[in-house]
């Protein structure tokens, strides 16, 4: 059985790893709710991470770093807005361009400024967001002796950087803005039917620009978090696909703030499990039983689909069943109690597998905002 | 006593590049009247209304509301001037409630809750004042189009509109719903509101307006008192020549059955049953019309018969059964080989490829035929182009240039290209959906003549249309569809719009009698 403290530590690390996802996911939520698809979240995150780390390193002030990161992210958001709102270009292409721009530019500028192979120098204290310890929280050295309630308070609730609490607060704030204010009503409307907003005498452009700017601010905070709190400097490609995983979480969350919180915590949990446990031992019967269940699920899913789906997904199901039987076969001699070691790469791939599963539409129907991805052109 | 007109336009002009959409338009509408604007598609009605609602800025001219000169740079200014607009395609947010849609853009503060409760009380007042009842908490996509239109009217009234402009308001309504709308409009007139009704339906102009303006090619050709004119005069003013309003045709001489449909049922991807046990027969030499409000299974029927939706049941063409799956043996190609031709409902999505040239579009579906092949590997493009040009001339497509892309033709001419492709192959059965949707009066006349001519050659025709006038004047027999079912059969000569309207609204056979 896993110890309570270990569980708390995993959850604690889930929360820390979920924070950037959550901020980026909410950034995407504002943007997409307004009808602007934002595939460039990754790029904005990366750019903000670099700019905030660089400013924090040069000025020694984490607050200046945060501000600079937010500004950099807003600049990229405005670029995306210019391409997709004003010039009515393709939103996907503009987003991809921003990703490339950020991936290349950050390393080049970092090398030019610091000459450390595309990274920024390690941040000293003052250049980082330090953990906030709640009053009365036990220090980690004495954690083992504390009671479960104290452990919960000290390990999970206390001891995070300010930005973690900011990210958590963003969820109810976003919910309130979206569903309880005039601005939220208009924002949701412009993503569903911009013509309705336009004929009501409200500026579609203004609303959409405001939405991408909010997205920029949130991405900026997320970038600053990964470079000045989660890590202590900027390294090449340090966003590590978080922008894309946040997009998947957004679909998983059906474009709703509270669901976004749970989706991001789930993804964060996977990351935490992955860093905490290198190899996991599972009973062989459990593993193969699980695999067979997946295969059966797949088969029942494709039953009513046409023959191409049947061939592809059915083939996948057959493959999974073969693996399941191989697992059983390999431990046949040692009996039912034998355990199988699951390599770390499988656990590492879980968030991505889940992303694919979400995107493929296995988990309920996620209906995106109806005007998403389309530039608004007034009809004649 | 001289009162100021509620709204007056003086010398309004607007051009898009070389196209003069509006030229020196003058209109003056007195308060408390209903004014009709009638004209063909592309006559400039919509442009004029867009200028009034601040979508476009006029190149020249002045607008007066209650005698005061105003400028309308955007929709906000139009709303402030008391102008409300009900568009042909509703501008509603589908997954919002009625209340949210009404409040959108006219909120009373930054927080939503007070705005919504204020709107709720005002809505109740408006509802009792004008007999406009809607459930404020209903979600738009769950209510019918008639209700959605009421929401649009309420939206305008909530913004204190005194001048209400309605663009083609009856296009999506059943006759009963249209009557209801007209009662509401009359009621609004009694309360002193000014109404501008844009339509291409002559009957509506005659029924409800006090005065009428006719537009043709961007110009206002006449403004008349409705009582002093007749549908024939108006049609002539619209088109610029005498128009036959009714289709000239002899009685049908139906012979053997060509299309037999038995127990046809279809469930769509969302699990909704769209067709319920359809039984029908179309004989050679007759036109079977299917009437119904849009969205009651007519489109699905065409899709199933045309071979791009799977269904269950039995469909026989010339006595041999058709494969109803969407596999290769049941696709459109296989059906064409059996003698079926199909003019789909949505010519821009299903009938044509808008970015392809006319000659390419004119050969689609028949491109594998021997006559179109130069040799084993290549198509005979030159011959196809030449043939297309001749076809275009025969079908009066303007301009008859086979190298023009489909999107550069007007709606009527696009439809003629599709018709030419399907009719000229001499099919035994022609499926036609909405043949004259968005087509101007002159072209309607021509298209109707072509369909009747095909019938007179002894071909079977299945006609689906939401325009009751069209169904009644073209068909030899009429079936009415409601909610995926056939509600009953009528002879056009022995029925009327009212009776069909009841069937279209789902009132059963017995109750209708």
């Amino acid at each position: 059985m896993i110890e309570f403290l270990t569980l708390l530590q995993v959850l604690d690390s889930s929360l820390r790893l979920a924070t950037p996802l959550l901020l980026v996911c909410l950034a995407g939520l504002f943007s997409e709710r307004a009808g602007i698809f934002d595939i460039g979240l990754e790029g904005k995150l990366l750019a903000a991470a670099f700019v905030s780390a660089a400013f924090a390193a040069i000025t020694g002030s984490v607050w200046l770093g945060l501000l600079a990161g937010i500004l950099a992210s807003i600049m990229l958001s405005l670029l995306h807005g210019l391409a997709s709102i004003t010039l009515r270009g393709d939103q996907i292409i503009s987003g991809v361009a921003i990703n490339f721009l950020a991936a290349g530019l950050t390393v080049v500028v970092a090398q030019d400024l610091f000459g450390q192979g595309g990274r920024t120098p390690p941040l000293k204290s003052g250049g980082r967001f330090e953990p906030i310890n709640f009053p009365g929280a036990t220090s980690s050295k004495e954690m083992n002796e504390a009671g479960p309630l104290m452990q919960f308070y000290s390990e999970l609730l206390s001891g995070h950087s300010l930005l973690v609490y900011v990210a958590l607060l963003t969820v109810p704030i976003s919910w309130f803005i979206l569903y309880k204010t005039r601005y939220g009503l208009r924002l949701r409307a412009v993503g569903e039917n911009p013509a309705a907003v336009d004929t009501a005498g409200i500026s579609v452009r203004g609303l959409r620009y405001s939405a991408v700017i909010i997205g920029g601010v949130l991405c900026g905070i997320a970038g600053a978090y990964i470079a000045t709190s989660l890590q202590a400097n900027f390294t090449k490609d340090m966003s590590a696909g978080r922008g894309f995983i946040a997009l998947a979480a957004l679909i998983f969350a059906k474009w709703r703030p509270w669901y976004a919180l749970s989706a991001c915590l789930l993804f964060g949990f996977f990351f935490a499990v992955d860093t905490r446990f290198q190899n996991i031992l599972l009973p062989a019967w459990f593993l193969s039983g699980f695999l067979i269940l997946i295969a059966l699920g797949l088969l029942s899913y494709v039953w009513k689909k046409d023959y191409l789906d049947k061939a592809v997904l059915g083939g996948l199901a057959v493959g999974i069943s073969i693996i399941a039987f191989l697992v059983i076969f390999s431990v046949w001699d040692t009996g039912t109690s034998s355990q199988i070691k699951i390599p770390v790469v499988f656990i590492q791939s879980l968030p991505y597998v889940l992303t694919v599963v979400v995107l493929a539409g296995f988990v309920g129907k996620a209906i995106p905002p109806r005007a998403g991805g389309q530039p608004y052109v007034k009809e004649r | 006593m001289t009162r100021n007109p509620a709204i007056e336009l003086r010398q309004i002009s607007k051009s898009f590049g070389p196209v003069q959409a509006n030229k020196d338009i003058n209109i003056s509408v007195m308060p408390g009247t209903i004014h009709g604007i009638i004209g063909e598609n592309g006559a400039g009605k919509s442009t004029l209304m867009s200028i009034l609602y601040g979508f476009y800025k006029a190149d020249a001219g002045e607008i007066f509301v209650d005698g005061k000169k105003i400028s309308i740079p955007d929709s906000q200014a139009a709303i402030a001037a008391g102008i409300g607009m009900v568009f042909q395609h509703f501008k509603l947010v589908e997954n919002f409630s009625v209340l949210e849609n009404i409040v959108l853009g006219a909120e009373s503060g930054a927080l939503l809750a007070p705005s919504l409760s204020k709107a709720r009380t005002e809505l109740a007042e408006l509802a009792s004042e004008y007999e406009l009842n809607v459930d404020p908490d209903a979600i738009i996509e769950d209510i019918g189009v008639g209700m959605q239109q009421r929401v649009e009217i309420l939206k305008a009234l909530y913004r204190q509109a005194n001048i209400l402009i309605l663009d083609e308001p009856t296009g999506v309504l059943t006759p009963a719903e249209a009557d209801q709308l007209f009662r509401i409009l009359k009621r609004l007139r009694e309360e002193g509101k000014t109404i501008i009704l844009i339509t291409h339906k002559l009957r509506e102009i005659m029924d409800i307006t006090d005065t009428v303006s006719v537009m043709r090619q961007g110009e206002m050709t006449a403004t008349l008192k409705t009582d002093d004119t007749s549908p024939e005069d108006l049609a002539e003013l619209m088109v610029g020549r005498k128009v036959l309003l009714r289709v000239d045709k002899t009685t049908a001489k139906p012979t053997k059955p060509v299309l037999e449909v038995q127990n046809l049922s279809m469930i769509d991807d969302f699990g909704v049953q769209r067709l319920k046990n359809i039984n029908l027969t179309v004989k050679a030499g007759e036109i079977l019309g299917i009437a119904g409000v849009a969205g009651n299974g007519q489109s699905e029927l065409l899709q199933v018969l045309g071979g791009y939706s799977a269904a269950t049941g039995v469909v026989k063409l010339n006595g041999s059964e058709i494969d109803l799956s969407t596999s290769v043996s049941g696709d459109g190609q296989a059906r064409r080989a059996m003698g079926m031709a199909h003019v789909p409902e949505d010519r821009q999505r299903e009938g044509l490829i808008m970015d392809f040239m006319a000659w390419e579009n004119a050969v689609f579906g028949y491109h594998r035929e021997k006559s179109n092949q130069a040799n084993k590997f290549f198509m005979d493009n030159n011959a196809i182009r030449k043939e297309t040009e001749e076809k275009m001339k025969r079908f009066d497509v303007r301009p008859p240039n086979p190298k023009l892309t489909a999107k550069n033709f007007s709606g009527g001419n696009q439809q003629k290209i599709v018709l030419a492709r399907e009719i000229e192959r001499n099919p035994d059965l022609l499926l036609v959906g909405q043949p004259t949707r968005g087509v101007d009066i002159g072209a309607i006349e021509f298209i109707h003549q072509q369909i009747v001519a095909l019938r007179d050659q002894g071909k079977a025709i299945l006609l689906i249309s939401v325009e009751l006038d069209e169904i009644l004047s073209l068909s030899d027999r009429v079936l009415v569809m409601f909610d995926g079912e056939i509600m009953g059969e009528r002879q056009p000569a022995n029925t009327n719009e009212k009776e069909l309207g009841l069937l279209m609204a789902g009132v059963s056979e017995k109750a209708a009698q």
Side-chain angles (χ1 to χ4, degrees):
Chain A
M1 213 41 227
I2 300 171
E3 266 181 65
F4 182 63
L5 187 57
T6 319
L7 181 70
L8 278 184
Q9 281 162 351
V10 170
L11 290 180
D12 171 74
S13 127
S14 307
L15 186 58
R16 278 187 289 114
L17 292 167
T19 295
L21 284 182
L22 181 59
L23 285 165
V24 175
C25 188
L26 290 171
L29 189 141
F30 273 99
S31 180
E32 299 211 348
R33 273 295 179 121
I36 305 292
F37 282 163
D38 199 350
I39 211 106
L41 291 172
E42 175 82 5
K44 279 180 259 181
L45 181 67
L46 191 63
F50 165 68
V51 173
S52 58
F55 265 74
I58 293 167
T59 64
S61 159
V62 68
W63 291 103
L64 282 178
L66 174 69
L67 195 69
I70 290 175
L71 283 178
S73 173
I74 289 179
M75 294 297 282
L76 289 180
S77 285
L78 289 176
L79 191 66
H80 187 51
L82 178 73
S84 54
I85 305 169
T86 306
L87 303 176
R88 299 189 193 121
D90 189 305
Q91 298 172 6
I92 304 298
I93 291 176
S94 152
V96 169
I98 284 172
N99 287 340
F100 277 116
L101 190 71
L105 215 54
T106 47
V107 181
V108 170
V109 177
Q111 174 63 20
D112 188 53
L113 281 181
F114 305 105
Q116 298 187 0
R119 51 175 68 217
T120 62
L123 296 170
K124 300 179 197 73
S125 79
R128 291 194 62 194
F129 279 102
E130 303 294 345
I132 297 174
N133 284 313
F134 285 7
T138 323
S139 71
S140 52
K141 280 175 204 155
E142 295 147 18
M143 196 66 83
N144 278 323
E145 284 86 59
L149 208 64
M150 194 61 198
Q151 284 181 341
F152 179 77
Y153 176 73
S154 312
E155 181 67 39
L156 190 57
L157 297 185
S158 166
H160 296 288
S161 115
L162 174 69
L163 297 183
V164 173
Y165 302 111
V166 168
L168 288 176
L169 262 182
T170 319
V171 177
I173 293 173
S174 302
W175 171 81
F176 184 82
I177 289 175
L178 270 183
Y179 295 103
K180 297 287 160 191
T181 66
R182 170 176 65 190
Y183 175 75
L185 181 78
R186 293 176 174 187
L187 189 82
R188 283 181 291 134
V190 83
E192 293 288 336
N193 187 356
V197 172
D198 193 23
T199 52
I202 313 162
S203 161
V204 172
R205 279 184 185 194
L207 271 173
R208 289 191 160 173
Y209 264 111
S210 71
V212 295
I213 288 172
I214 292 175
V217 172
L218 292 172
C219 272
I221 300 174
Y225 175 77
I226 58 172
T228 65
S229 184
L230 203 57
Q231 312 287 333
N233 68 342
F234 169 84
T235 51
K236 179 175 184 284
D237 292 336
M238 78 180 303
S239 53
R242 284 191 178 90
F244 296 111
I245 291 186
L247 272 182
L250 183 60
I251 297 167
F252 201 36
K254 300 180 176 168
W255 293 268
R256 290 180 169 91
W258 287 108
Y259 289 18
L261 176 64
S262 3
C264 292
L265 285 176
L266 180 69
F267 284 119
F269 178 71
F270 280 130
F271 287 125
V273 169
D274 158 38
T275 38
R276 172 82 199 190
F277 306 102
Q278 286 301 305
N279 295 328
I280 289 187
L281 289 173
L282 273 184
W285 61 266
F286 180 81
L287 179 63
S288 51
F290 181 68
L291 288 176
I292 285 175
L293 272 183
I294 290 181
L296 286 177
L298 265 178
L299 281 177
S300 69
Y301 176 79
V302 298
W303 198 247
K304 286 179 188 161
K305 303 282 164 178
D306 66 31
Y307 61 92
L308 195 65
D309 288 345
K310 273 186 185 150
V312 174
L313 291 176
L316 187 63
V318 169
I320 292 175
S321 329
I322 290 174
I323 295 173
F325 283 112
L326 284 178
V327 167
I328 290 282
F329 186 70
S330 67
V331 296
W332 193 254
D333 299 335
T334 40
T336 49
S337 62
S338 54
Q339 300 204 313
I340 287 283
K341 189 159 74 177
I342 301 181
V344 65
V345 284
F346 278 107
I347 301 160
Q348 280 171 348
S349 68
L350 263 183
Y352 302 91
V353 170
L354 195 64
T355 304
V356 171
V357 169
V358 169
L359 287 175
F362 287 103
V363 191
K365 262 225 150 54
I367 301 162
R370 275 165 235 203
Q374 300 156 7
Y376 177 62
V377 185
K378 277 187 192 199
E379 299 176 42
R380 274 182 73 173
Chain B
M1 185 185 92
T2 53
R3 284 166 75 193
N4 282 323
I7 188 158
E8 190 179 4
L9 307 183
R10 285 189 201 156
Q11 301 291 319
I12 294 283
S13 292
K14 172 79 187 169
S15 49
F16 298 100
V19 183
Q20 182 99 37
N22 282 162
K23 198 181 169 204
D24 298 338
I25 302 287
N26 292 298
I27 299 184
S28 134
V29 185
M30 295 308 285
T33 60
I34 300 182
H35 183 87
I37 296 182
I38 193 162
E40 294 193 270
N41 288 294
K45 295 171 296 184
S46 305
T47 306
L48 187 63
M49 291 308 120
S50 298
I51 289 171
L52 264 181
Y53 203 63
F55 271 21
Y56 296 135
K57 206 175 155 11
D59 299 336
E62 295 171 313
I63 302 170
F64 295 83
V65 170
D66 286 331
K68 282 193 291 288
K69 186 180 170 195
I70 58 162
S71 77
I72 306 179
D74 52 31
S75 304
Q76 194 91 59
I79 294 167
I83 299 173
M85 185 99 157
V86 177
F87 291 88
Q88 188 177 2
H89 303 288
F90 304 144
K91 309 291 183 191
L92 297 171
V93 183
E94 294 258 300
N95 53 1
F96 277 21
S97 72
V98 169
L99 208 55
E100 285 172 323
N101 267 291
I102 285 172
V103 158
L104 180 67
E107 305 91 340
S108 44
L111 288 183
L112 214 48
S115 306
L116 288 177
S117 62
K118 176 170 167 270
R120 193 181 291 274
T121 31
E122 278 190 37
L123 203 58
E125 285 164 23
L126 286 174
S128 60
E129 195 176 346
Y130 300 107
E131 292 162 33
L132 279 162
N133 287 310
V134 282
D135 172 11
D137 297 311
I139 302 298
I140 295 295
E141 59 197 350
D142 297 339
I143 62 179
V145 274
M147 275 294 170
Q148 293 183 1
Q149 195 169 52
R150 281 188 190 188
V151 177
E152 284 283 16
I153 294 174
L154 281 167
K155 246 168 85 177
L157 294 177
Y158 184 74
R159 288 160 173 74
Q160 256 109 54
N162 283 315
I163 302 156
L164 198 60
I165 305 168
L166 295 106
D167 189 7
E168 302 281 2
T170 59
V172 289
L173 303 182
T174 63
E177 282 173 326
D179 286 345
Q180 220 163 17
L181 171 70
F182 287 166
R183 272 204 299 281
I184 292 169
L185 293 186
K186 282 175 184 159
R187 175 92 198 184
L188 289 168
R189 173 171 63 181
E190 281 166 27
E191 301 287 328
K193 306 277 182 193
T194 308
I195 292 162
I196 299 179
L197 178 72
I198 303 169
T199 182
H200 67 275
K201 291 183 184 164
L202 294 165
R203 192 171 58 87
E204 287 169 8
I205 293 287
M206 299 310 293
D207 278 358
I208 191 170
T209 61
D210 301 305
T211 48
V212 54
S213 298
V214 184
M215 287 188 76
R216 186 173 77 228
Q217 287 168 4
E219 289 184 66
M220 198 65 83
T221 47
T223 297
L224 306 156
K225 267 197 153 47
T226 311
D227 292 341
D228 299 344
T229 182
S230 68
E232 286 76 15
D233 292 345
L234 288 177
E236 197 180 331
L237 282 166
M238 274 163 76
V239 185
R241 62 180 166 84
K242 282 228 180 292
V243 183
L244 219 51
L245 284 181
R246 285 203 75 82
V247 183
D248 227 4
K249 64 178 173 94
T250 55
T251 34
K253 301 175 200 73
T255 54
K256 65 179 175 67
V258 173
L259 177 75
E260 292 162 278
V261 176
Q262 287 150 18
N263 295 324
L264 188 69
S265 292
M266 178 226 179
I267 295 171
D268 71 7
D269 292 343
F270 299 99
V272 181
Q273 183 156 15
R274 294 293 182 179
L275 297 176
K276 298 170 185 162
N277 275 319
I278 303 281
N279 288 291
L280 58 86
T281 305
V282 192
K283 291 180 179 151
E286 74 165 353
I287 300 176
L288 176 67
I290 295 189
V293 182
N296 275 294
Q298 307 98 308
S299 308
E300 287 79 4
L301 180 63
L302 269 189
Q303 285 163 11
V304 166
L305 293 177
Y308 46 105
S309 285
T312 57
V314 177
V315 175
K316 287 180 186 167
L317 182 57
N318 285 327
S320 50
E321 202 175 323
I322 293 182
D323 184 356
L324 284 180
S325 68
T326 44
S327 60
V328 178
S329 60
D331 68 5
Q333 197 88 55
R335 285 166 206 222
R336 290 210 149 94
M338 293 173 80
M340 182 191 286
H342 185 184
V343 178
E345 283 189 308
D346 189 340
R347 59 175 165 270
Q348 305 202 339
R349 279 198 208 155
E350 297 166 357
L352 296 166
I353 299 182
M354 300 304 282
D355 288 321
F356 277 27
M357 285 182 272
W359 69 270
E360 292 169 314
N361 273 301
V363 77
F364 259 136
Y366 304 99
H367 51 284
R368 290 185 187 169
E369 282 183 7
K370 272 261 154 51
S371 59
N372 291 323
Q373 310 296 328
N375 54 44
K376 211 168 174 342
F377 298 106
F378 293 103
M379 287 171 65
D380 193 351
N381 290 352
N382 283 329
I384 297 171
R385 268 195 288 270
K386 225 177 130 213
E387 201 193 318
T388 303
E389 191 170 351
E390 282 158 18
K391 238 187 255 179
M392 289 170 95
K393 279 181 187 147
R394 273 200 297 281
F395 273 77
D396 191 31
V397 179
R398 281 176 245 178
N401 176 1
K403 288 188 179 174
L404 218 56
T405 46
K407 64 180 172 201
N408 290 326
F409 291 94
S410 74
N413 284 311
Q414 289 170 359
Q415 188 70 324
K416 285 184 202 163
I417 294 175
V418 180
L419 266 177
R421 175 178 76 206
E422 301 299 335
I423 289 181
E424 293 258 316
R425 295 289 155 166
N426 213 11
D428 297 328
L429 169 70
L430 180 69
L431 309 174
V432 202
Q434 320 297 351
T436 56
R437 178 183 278 171
V439 170
D440 48 55
I441 286 198
I444 289 176
E445 195 184 1
F446 180 84
I447 290 169
H448 284 176
Q449 283 165 358
Q450 293 300 319
I451 293 175
V452 171
L454 194 68
R455 179 202 75 167
D456 290 342
Q457 289 168 33
K459 310 296 183 187
I461 290 157
L462 180 70
L463 166 76
I464 287 180
S465 174
V466 291
E467 299 278 346
L468 258 190
D469 287 344
E470 180 166 84
I471 291 281
L472 282 173
S473 57
L474 269 183
S475 316
D476 301 309
R477 286 188 296 134
V478 179
L479 296 178
V480 182
M481 265 184 101
F482 172 75
D483 197 23
E485 281 180 274
I486 302 278
M487 296 301 290
E489 182 178 329
R490 294 286 184 275
Q491 301 297 320
N494 307 327
T495 187
N496 52 44
E497 298 214 344
K498 193 168 169 231
E499 189 187 23
L500 290 180
L502 282 173
L503 288 173
M504 283 161 69
V507 180
S508 73
E509 195 84 297
K510 275 189 193 131
Q513 280 162 5

